[in-house]
Amino acid sequence: MKDELFLIDINNLMYRFHFAFIRNPLRNKEGFNTSAIFGIGNFIMDLKKQYNARYIAGGLDLKGKTFRHEEFEDYKSGREDIPDELAAQIPHIISLLEALDVNVVSKQGYEADDVIGSLKEQLSTDFDKIYIITSDKDVGQLLDDKCQM
């Protein structure tokens, strides 16, 4: 039997955990906000424990415009910039994910869900089941008998 692959939208989780603690952020002794770091770390450890997840990869947005901006100049023009306290956690989140054996995948000009879609297509024959972890409803178009969200 082949194994299961877990594909995570890292940006989606970062925002979710950052704003889950927005009224009472977790901070280290220097006052640095660690809410997203804490949330993602616990999430990955729970995923490994509850589902015996051995193969985990995460898609991550990079700074800058994507190919969608070339097609539609105002793409995401109404969206606020990433909060500074969350942006400061990203290098630490990447280090933590790598320490937890999560492959962090990104490509300039593409968003996390694009990377996840590409990984799902490229690796679908290598796994019996693929789970995409995100609350982004657009990912629904990737679902099939083998892939769940």
Side-chain angles (χ1 to χ4, degrees):
M1 177 174 162
K2 295 182 183 178
D3 285 300
E4 299 171 326
L5 172 64
F6 294 82
L7 298 174
I8 300 169
D9 185 335
I10 297 169
N11 292 77
N12 185 273
L13 286 182
M14 286 188 321
Y15 273 90
R16 186 184 309 177
F17 290 119
H18 175 75
F19 286 105
F21 292 99
I22 198 69
R23 291 190 178 164
N24 192 17
L26 302 175
R27 298 188 182 280
N28 66 13
K29 64 183 178 180
E30 288 85 27
F32 183 79
N33 188 324
T34 60
S35 299
I37 300 166
F38 174 81
I40 288 176
N42 278 338
F43 180 86
I44 297 300
M45 289 187 292
D46 285 347
L47 186 66
K48 288 179 172 234
K49 185 177 179 181
Q50 285 184 351
Y51 297 96
N52 196 27
R54 296 185 319 148
Y55 301 101
I56 307 171
L60 179 67
D61 293 348
L62 295 176
K63 256 187 169 178
K65 295 186 177 200
T66 70
F67 71 92
R68 289 181 182 88
H69 290 96
E70 294 173 19
E71 294 181 27
F72 181 60
E73 191 174 324
D74 290 334
Y75 179 67
K76 293 192 177 181
S77 63
R79 200 171 273 192
E80 292 182 30
D81 288 339
I82 184 171
D84 290 339
E85 284 194 319
L86 178 54
Q89 294 178 69
I90 294 174
H92 303 285
I93 290 169
I94 293 169
S95 294
L96 175 62
L97 290 170
E98 290 172 347
L100 292 171
D101 292 324
V102 174
N103 295 298
V104 178
V105 184
S106 58
K107 183 167 175 59
Q108 192 65 51
Y110 294 87
E111 295 179 353
D113 54 345
D114 299 317
V115 171
I116 289 168
S118 294
L119 290 171
K120 183 256 182 186
E121 290 301 317
Q122 292 172 6
L123 299 172
S124 64
T125 58
D126 296 332
F127 293 92
D128 282 337
K129 207 63 155 163
I130 298 175
Y131 300 98
I132 299 176
I133 301 167
T134 185
S135 61
D136 184 343
K137 303 291 188 256
D138 292 338
V139 174
Q141 62 190 316
L142 299 173
L143 305 181
D144 55 30
D145 292 342
K146 184 184 262 193
C147 181
Q148 296 179 5
M149 186 166 136

